[in-house]
Amino acid sequence: MSPRSKKPRRCGCRFRGKAFKPTGVPLSETEQVILSRDELEALKLCDADDLTQEQAGRRMGVSRGTVQRILSAARKKVARALSRGNAIVFE
């Protein structure tokens, strides 16, 4: 039995291929943490735009539970990258 196909999501972020990294260190010399478009969009909607997870889910076209899982993963990645001095690369 194959896994269920991924539901299409609406994302308005346009940072694909860009990165945030520590100043003065070349990107090639830093460990990179990949942040997907879904994760960036969930962070933006919930944390920057102050929407609830339910409202963010409606905007992204997914359930509140899915937003919660995406947001949890994104926050963990960002926290690890910031605390370890890693680069955050937007997929």
Side-chain angles (χ1 to χ4, degrees), residues 26-65:
L27 186 61
S28 60
E29 293 180 15
T30 61
E31 188 175 327
Q32 299 178 9
V33 175
I34 306 298
L35 200 65
S36 71
R37 291 179 63 202
D38 293 344
E39 291 168 334
L40 181 59
E41 183 72 5
L43 278 173
K44 178 193 155 315
L45 292 174
C46 293
D47 295 340
D49 296 346
D50 292 324
L51 297 181
T52 64
Q53 291 177 4
E54 191 171 329
Q55 293 167 328
R58 275 191 241 119
R59 286 230 187 137
M60 291 177 69
V62 297
S63 71
R64 184 207 52 82

